[in-house]
Amino acid sequence: MRLDNMLLAEGVSGPEKRGRGGPAAIAATSGGCPNDNSIEHSDYRAKLSQIRQIYHSELEKYEQACSEFTTHVMNLLREQSRTRPISPKEIERMVNIIHGKFSTIQMQLKQSTCEAVMILRSRFLDARRKRRNFSKQATEVLNEYFYSHLSNPYPSEEAKEELAKKGGITVSQVSNWFGNKRIRYKKNMGKFQEEANIYAAKTAVDATNVVAQGNQASSPPTPNSGEYRKAVFKMELVFSATE
DNA sequence: TTGCATGATTCCTG
DNA sequence: CAGGAATCATGCAA
């Protein structure tokens, strides 16, 4: 009966439900707007419900066939009972045999449904972790923003959307990228120096704007606000630069 | 095949 | 909940 449990867990059998607690729900963790994966997820859900539908219609078909066949056999037995005596035991035995046959067929159906679900999952959900490097365009856009806002590399939600659109990636990918970039840049600035120079030369424009804005915003940097962290980031940069 | 680069995930903090 | 830090897993050049 493990198959039953699995199908139930996958939402194939049992009542209709959306958004299970499985890996599908994890996709939107840090800085992840759930909408980012909605395309993928709706696709996944569509396929799952397709499997579900097939499973249920097949199941129904089998059940119907089973009962039809049973009544058919019963009729035959009744016919035969005219020519020879048939005990109720014998009838019961026949019925049991028929039900046994159909239940093995059902088992096979469940098994193949399970397989289909597994394949679907590996296709969609595990693909999450399949890493693809961003396009040149995307990294270009992201780096440009990062190095031109080096004093405050924290794009606003709007800026992230803009970058996402320009780079052809999702907003949460932008968030991931900036998260990785900040930490890795801070870890060893030396490695990024060349890159920094390239992009600084490219757009040495609004640095002053950002500084002005940053100063204005951080005038009362409440320890709890994001401004506080940003200020810390700046200071740490200054410290590591003087070493 | 190996080592590093890099995108994604997880855990934790304020 | 956004971001930092550590870690995982893959891509890719050497």
Side-chain angles (χ1 to χ4, degrees):
Chain A
M1 284 297 101
R2 277 185 53 201
L3 290 176
D4 279 325
N5 291 336
M6 223 189 102
L7 290 173
L8 200 66
E10 295 300 331
V12 175
S13 62
E16 176 88 49
K17 53 183 172 180
R18 38 160 318 180
R20 317 170 20 259
I26 298 172
T29 44
S30 72
C33 172
N35 283 343
D36 296 337
N37 304 349
S38 67
I39 307 147
E40 205 171 303
H41 283 183
S42 68
D43 205 3
Y44 171 77
R45 270 206 293 279
K47 288 253 161 65
L48 190 64
S49 82
Q50 206 176 328
I51 290 174
R52 187 185 145 89
Q53 211 167 2
I54 291 167
Y55 170 76
H56 279 115
S57 75
E58 288 295 302
L59 201 62
E60 205 175 317
K61 230 191 293 182
Y62 284 138
E63 265 160 16
Q64 201 184 334
C66 180
S67 71
E68 268 173 25
F69 192 65
T70 307
T71 54
H72 178 65
V73 170
M74 295 281 265
N75 286 338
L76 280 180
L77 285 174
R78 215 166 295 148
E79 295 263 315
Q80 279 201 355
S81 71
R82 293 200 206 122
T83 52
R84 69 178 176 93
I86 293 172
S87 67
K89 259 275 186 0
E90 196 176 343
I91 295 174
E92 197 187 331
R93 205 167 60 84
M94 278 308 260
V95 169
N96 280 342
I97 288 169
I98 293 164
H99 284 185
K101 290 282 179 210
F102 274 94
S103 85
T104 58
I105 292 171
Q106 276 190 20
M107 211 54 171
Q108 277 168 12
L109 173 66
K110 283 175 186 174
Q111 199 166 353
S112 56
T113 306
C114 267
E115 273 168 28
V117 171
M118 290 314 248
I119 290 166
L120 185 68
R121 283 184 56 138
S122 63
R123 271 263 302 285
F124 280 83
L125 302 182
D126 296 345
R128 258 177 332 134
R129 226 185 160 97
K130 281 237 187 308
R131 208 189 98 255
R132 293 255 52 141
N133 286 345
F134 291 161
S135 66
K136 195 121 195 272
Q137 163 79 2
T139 44
E140 192 84 356
V141 167
L142 293 166
N143 274 315
E144 221 164 85
Y145 188 97
F146 183 80
Y147 288 110
S148 64
H149 298 71
L150 201 50
S151 57
N152 185 37
Y154 295 86
S156 64
E157 210 51 42
E158 297 83 60
K160 281 180 191 171
E161 276 168 32
E162 184 71 27
L163 289 167
K165 196 154 57 163
K166 276 191 197 167
I169 56 179
T170 70
V171 173
S172 62
Q173 281 178 308
V174 173
S175 297
N176 284 341
W177 190 90
F178 272 89
N180 284 323
K181 192 70 177 183
R182 280 192 298 266
I183 193 79
R184 282 163 185 167
Y185 180 81
K186 207 160 69 178
K187 255 186 178 170
N188 60 351
M189 293 172 58
K191 207 158 247 171
F192 292 95
Q193 208 51 59
E194 197 184 339
E195 195 177 71
N197 292 336
I198 293 168
Y199 284 99
K202 242 176 201 168
T203 46
V205 203
D206 45 15
T208 49
N209 282 343
V210 174
V211 169
Q213 183 194 327
N215 287 342
Q216 183 199 21
S218 62
S219 40
T222 22
N224 226 355
S225 68
E227 293 303 327
Y228 179 70
R229 265 199 296 265
K230 290 166 193 174
V232 169
F233 183 84
K234 285 188 214 171
M235 288 201 288
E236 282 176 351
L237 282 187
V238 172
F239 286 143
S240 48
T242 51
E243 280 180 56

